[in-house]
Amino acid sequence: TDLPLTPQLTGTVMANTLSYSQFSATHFGADLTVSVKALIVEPYLSVGGDRTKVEVKSVAVGNTSGVIDGDTAVATAPRITIGLNLKPLPLFYIHAGYTLIKSASGFETGIGIRF
């Protein structure tokens, strides 16, 4: 809904895969986002988690790192994002967010068209 001051709850589930001759990776993530629209400004808070698995397929000749074919690594991490959506026109939006994952952080921005 686009009613002002009405809390909105959104759930997201995502899956990604990458396959290359030397390695493959799979990623699963999920998050829950709550936002509240006030005129053209919509602050949001998102809490979620990620799980990524990387598998070595083929180690380059001469590699001395100790990694061997078939090695795998799995990492999981909670994630929290705080951000702001701006909707200056009915179908147009701009967003910016700050994300924390374990001890790392990042900033994201974007523009889009909403149908």
Side-chain angles (χ1 to χ4, degrees), residues 46-109:
S46 179
V47 177
D50 297 288
R51 180 185 185 276
T52 304
K53 178 181 177 182
V54 178
E55 181 177 356
V56 176
K57 290 182 180 179
S58 174
V59 176
V61 175
N63 185 326
T64 60
S65 68
V67 176
I68 60 172
D69 292 356
D71 276 358
T72 62
V74 176
T76 58
R79 176 175 23 87
I80 186 166
T81 302
I82 186 166
L84 189 65
N85 290 324
L86 300 174
K87 296 181 183 175
L89 300 171
L91 299 178
F92 180 75
Y93 69 91
I94 303 167
H95 80 92
Y98 180 74
T99 301
L100 293 171
I101 302 175
K102 288 190 175 181
S103 61
S105 63
F107 185 74
E108 62 184 61
T109 62

Side-chain angles (χ1 to χ4, degrees), residues 8-14 29-35 44-49 79-82:
Q8 299 202 35
L9 191 61
T10 305
T12 306
V13 177
M14 61 200 106
D31 57 32
L32 193 58
T33 304
V34 64
S35 62
Y44 64 90
L45 175 67
S46 179
V47 177
R79 176 175 23 87
I80 186 166
T81 302
I82 186 166

